[in-house]
Amino acid sequence: MRASRYLIATQKETPADAEIISHQLMLRAGMIRKLAAGLYTWLPMGLRTLRKVERIVREEMDKSGGQEVLMPAVQPAELWEESGRWTQYGGELLRMNDRHGRDFCFGPTHEEVITDLIRNELKSYKELPANFYQIQTKFRDERRPRFGVMRAREFVMKDAYSFHLNAESLNDTYQVMHRTYCSIFDRLGLDYRPVQADSGAIGGSASHEFHVLASSGEDDIVFSTESSYAANIEKAEAVAPAGERPAPGEAMAEVATPGQRTIAAISEFLELDVKRTVKTLLVKGEADEDGNAGLVALILRGDHSLNEIKAENLAGIAEPLTMATDEEILAAVGCQPGSIGPVNLNVPVIVDRSAAHLADFVCGANKDDYHLTGVNWERDVPLARVEDIRNVVEGDPSPDGKGTLEIRRGIEVGHIFKLGNKYSQAMNATVLDENGKTAVMEMGCYGIGVSRIVAASIEQNHDDKGIIWPDAIAPFEIAIVTLNGHKSPTVAEAGEKLYEQLRQAGYDVLLDDRNERPGVKFADMELIGIPHRFVVSDRGLTAGTLEYKGRRDADKQDIPLEQALPFMV
Ligand code: ATP
Ligand code: MG
Ligand code: MG
Ligand code: MG
């Protein structure tokens, strides 16, 4: 590509509303432009990197036996009613009507659509296991989209869904996907950790998240200094053995629903995205005589975004809570007093810890000494006894007895789940087994935040001059900067020749033939983060040399003119 014919949309100034470095650099390097909150256009420079990430994901998914499909982004409500999620999913689901008044949504995820497809296409156990994936645009109406493409509303995800006759087969594919994810993130050059994640109340099934380590990450991850133990904070803190929990089902729904509604309403009222900013909601308290309602404290467990809660919302929290009566608060949060029992709302207490701030609210309900924990109003709520919940702090012994715990920040770039038969059961996705009997399929699902990875990579690879791309996902691997090429035909010609030579050899090359000062060109190539740079100048040509500098190198070096290609390989 010739820079003179290419959109180099670099900017000197740091955009005011970009809080984290990747967002700033993606705007400054001319990779993305904002259209509206959480909606971004990928400019040519950014799209090249996005496509390279996609290509690596696709290659590894294909290698693992995945079959690529492409499902519609817009999905009919009927499928979501079948799975029960039309009413459960909440505010992130963008719902819409067609001209006939029928309900649709813009897919935030595709379990329903794939389950519908597969129940019609697969009939026999002989066709299993099967794993289908797509790389596609998702929409989630995030309450607070931020950090550019890191938490956008429209974003690119790789989502895969596997189908099995039994749990053993699901286990096998789950392991294959775990390894595949490691290969993908290795090839992307990311410093990442797979961690155990809480799989919610989806019947005893496993889940792992893949986190890129970065101080700007929105999640806390916990790992041992001396073993492979690693978990996200919710998982690390929820230690109630699954066997001691009440079985998911009606009893739980009875307890969970009022609490869920209360918390959702309060988060709405306080204008906090409790789901996102609050990593763990511990609910504790004492039951009153009927054991059914009492003093229940929601501990909003924080991360760096709680600093914002503190700064932006604390006054907002404290004021209405101290000034209003219980009845007024209940009215404000839209709850019927009778529906959730007596509710007390206290002034929030902010406890500053090294990595977390805690804010207490008092609300909700409990039952039979079980309390809501890990509350997330977009999925089922697991229950644990108060005494089964622990507060993990740095330096605690690792649960496996090896080493102590460290807590670091992570960016969730991947998530794998054993779904079991949650969707296949609800949507009646069955095959005939060896005995000709109908069997409900087991399912797994596997997501990767393709567009988020671009930002996460920048969080780990930058300096004060700009981005430093790993070769694998650089928009261009090599920049050729011609000095005064518009005045010196020899320089222009040598630049062209080198450009053709390196392109022939298969490199992605950007020939900076713009009529700009050398300083401007160097600064742009560094800001954009191109890993290798050759400079063609009259002075060098006279001496028969080119100048080379790697993006991470401190010094430049002269190499013989004809040595550029051998130098690269
Ligand atoms: P988060 O906890 O960050 O909200 P999630 O757990 O809701 O993510 P999943 O449902 O697990 O997300 O989706 C799979 C992957 O999609 C995530 O691991 C993440 O990398 C990516 N992703 C999710 N939400 C967004 C978003 N708003 N913008 C960009 N990528 C996203
Ligand atoms: Mg989310
Ligand atoms: Mg998550
Ligand atoms: Mg997730």
Side-chain angles (χ1 to χ4, degrees):
M1 213 57 74
R2 288 175 175 78
S4 58
R5 310 290 318 141
Y6 198 74
L7 183 59
I8 310 277
T10 51
Q11 295 172 346
K12 273 219 176 62
E13 306 304 320
T14 301
D17 59 344
E19 299 167 63
I20 61 170
I21 191 73
S22 58
H23 188 195
Q24 294 169 2
L25 289 175
M26 288 182 80
L27 290 167
R28 286 191 51 213
M31 296 180 69
I32 54 166
R33 286 293 180 265
K34 180 174 170 175
L35 175 65
L39 304 178
Y40 290 86
T41 296
W42 289 83
L43 300 182
M45 192 66 78
L47 189 61
R48 291 183 70 92
T49 290
L50 182 69
R51 292 283 184 250
K52 287 188 179 183
V53 175
E54 280 181 21
R55 193 187 306 156
I56 290 174
V57 171
R58 181 175 282 115
E59 282 174 10
E60 295 300 321
M61 287 302 297
D62 289 344
K63 223 186 270 176
S64 75
Q67 306 175 58
E68 188 169 2
V69 293
L70 184 57
M71 293 180 264
V74 175
Q75 309 181 6
E78 287 75 29
L79 290 181
W80 287 69
E81 275 155 6
E82 269 192 73
S83 71
R85 288 208 289 186
W86 186 252
T87 47
Q88 284 164 14
Y89 207 88
E92 275 184 25
L93 191 64
L94 179 64
R95 295 153 206 263
M96 55 190 139
N97 293 115
D98 70 3
R99 64 169 73 198
H100 307 292
R102 294 188 197 106
D103 287 324
F104 288 87
C105 65
F106 196 114
T109 178
H110 277 69
E111 282 83 4
E112 283 82 358
V113 177
I114 193 78
T115 307
D116 176 60
L117 179 80
I118 295 309
R119 70 180 164 185
N120 294 322
E121 297 301 324
L122 300 189
K123 303 285 177 221
S124 159
Y125 74 98
K126 292 179 191 152
E127 297 168 285
L128 301 179
N131 193 3
F132 301 92
Y133 80 93
Q134 64 175 346
I135 297 177
Q136 197 231 25
T137 299
K138 299 281 187 276
F139 191 97
R140 294 184 182 180
D141 201 355
E142 301 274 353
R143 183 190 294 275
R144 275 188 64 209
R146 58 178 186 166
F147 301 161
V149 299
M150 190 80 91
R151 183 169 300 283
R153 294 200 291 174
E154 193 176 302
F155 59 97
V156 180
M157 195 201 285
K158 185 286 296 177
D159 46 328
Y161 307 88
S162 67
F163 294 83
H164 311 267
L165 183 62
N166 53 40
E168 292 71 57
S169 167
L170 170 57
N171 282 346
D172 292 344
T173 298
Y174 188 83
Q175 293 311 327
V176 169
M177 291 312 295
H178 194 290
R179 286 198 296 275
T180 299
Y181 274 37
C182 290
S183 310
I184 289 170
F185 298 127
D186 285 341
R187 279 184 67 182
L188 290 166
L190 295 166
D191 182 12
Y192 69 96
R193 296 281 186 286
V195 306
Q196 296 172 32
D198 213 334
S199 50
I202 307 169
S205 42
S207 172
H208 285 82
E209 290 170 353
F210 291 75
H211 284 268
V212 163
L213 300 180
S215 56
S216 59
E218 294 185 88
D219 292 309
D220 273 332
I221 60 168
V222 176
F223 52 92
S224 163
T225 50
E226 275 161 43
S227 74
S228 59
Y229 173 82
N232 69 15
I233 193 87
E234 291 89 344
K235 176 75 177 175
E237 294 196 331
V239 293
E244 291 176 22
R245 295 179 183 182
E250 277 171 29
M252 194 173 81
E254 197 187 313
V255 180
T257 309
Q260 273 184 286
R261 225 189 297 121
T262 311
I263 296 157
I266 287 179
S267 76
E268 195 85 52
F269 174 59
L270 298 176
E271 293 181 4
L272 297 178
D273 180 358
V274 175
K275 177 180 178 291
R276 200 186 68 227
T277 56
V278 174
K279 295 295 125 181
T280 306
L281 289 175
L282 301 184
V283 183
K284 65 180 181 189
E286 309 142 17
D288 59 13
E289 304 84 48
D290 61 21
N292 205 334
L295 201 64
V296 180
L298 302 188
I299 300 174
L300 307 191
R301 194 207 151 82
D303 58 85
H304 74 122
S305 52
L306 276 186
N307 289 321
E308 288 158 37
I309 292 183
K310 211 172 153 186
E312 292 170 19
N313 303 89
L314 187 54
I317 294 170
E319 255 194 338
L321 297 192
T322 46
M323 285 164 51
T325 63
D326 287 355
E327 288 71 27
E328 285 166 340
I329 301 264
L330 284 174
V333 301
C335 293
Q336 295 301 314
S339 71
I340 50 173
V343 169
N344 282 307
L345 289 162
N346 281 352
V347 181
V349 179
I350 302 289
V351 182
D352 211 336
R353 300 197 310 175
S354 58
H357 304 268
L358 304 175
D360 280 37
F361 293 94
V362 176
C363 72
N366 58 14
K367 190 181 181 189
D368 300 338
D369 208 28
Y370 284 96
H371 310 268
L372 308 178
T373 181
V375 174
N376 175 342
W377 18 102
E378 290 179 7
R379 36 171 227 237
D380 302 329
V381 180
L383 300 178
R385 292 173 214 269
V386 170
E387 52 274 24
D388 292 333
I389 300 166
R390 59 176 184 169
N391 191 23
V392 172
V393 291
E394 213 149 21
D396 280 355
S398 176
D400 61 6
K402 296 176 197 148
T404 56
L405 295 178
E406 259 182 63
I407 302 180
R408 298 270 292 276
R409 294 245 177 261
I411 300 169
E412 183 190 324
V413 290
H415 197 167
I416 60 178
F417 247 107
K418 288 186 198 169
L419 292 171
N421 59 17
K422 181 183 156 90
Y423 295 92
S424 45
Q425 182 91 61
M427 297 180 65
N428 197 28
T430 61
V431 289
L432 294 179
D433 69 11
E434 300 92 321
N435 306 315
K437 280 221 192 91
T438 300
V440 175
M441 287 183 270
E442 293 283 317
M443 287 175 63
C445 76
Y446 318 92
I448 287 187
V450 174
S451 46
R452 180 179 283 183
I453 282 173
V454 176
S457 174
I458 296 173
E459 290 293 319
Q460 288 190 336
N461 298 289
H462 65 269
D463 63 12
D464 54 1
K465 297 195 182 76
I467 302 167
I468 310 177
W469 290 114
D471 286 25
I473 56 171
F476 296 95
E477 296 157 286
I478 303 172
I480 300 172
V481 178
T482 51
L483 298 192
N484 295 319
H486 52 291
K487 283 192 203 140
S488 162
T490 358
V491 166
E493 207 177 294
E496 288 285 341
K497 207 172 144 202
L498 181 61
Y499 173 64
E500 283 308 329
Q501 191 191 17
L502 292 170
R503 274 187 356 138
Q504 296 285 321
Y507 292 99
D508 283 331
V509 191
L510 182 64
L511 173 64
D512 195 349
D513 57 349
R514 292 176 300 165
N515 183 1
E516 290 283 359
R517 285 183 295 110
V520 170
K521 294 191 187 190
F522 292 150
D524 276 352
M525 296 305 113
E526 283 174 332
L527 175 59
I528 294 165
I530 301 179
H532 307 279
R533 184 188 80 188
F534 290 107
V535 180
V536 184
S537 67
D538 271 322
R539 194 168 49 82
L541 290 178
T542 312
T545 59
L546 291 167
E547 180 195 289
Y548 170 84
K549 188 169 178 294
R551 180 64 180 78
R552 286 184 192 276
D553 297 348
D555 299 313
K556 14 187 197 238
Q557 51 182 307
D558 287 333
I559 56 169
L561 195 48
E562 65 286 356
Q563 288 299 306
L565 189 54
F567 184 82
M568 284 303 300
V569 292

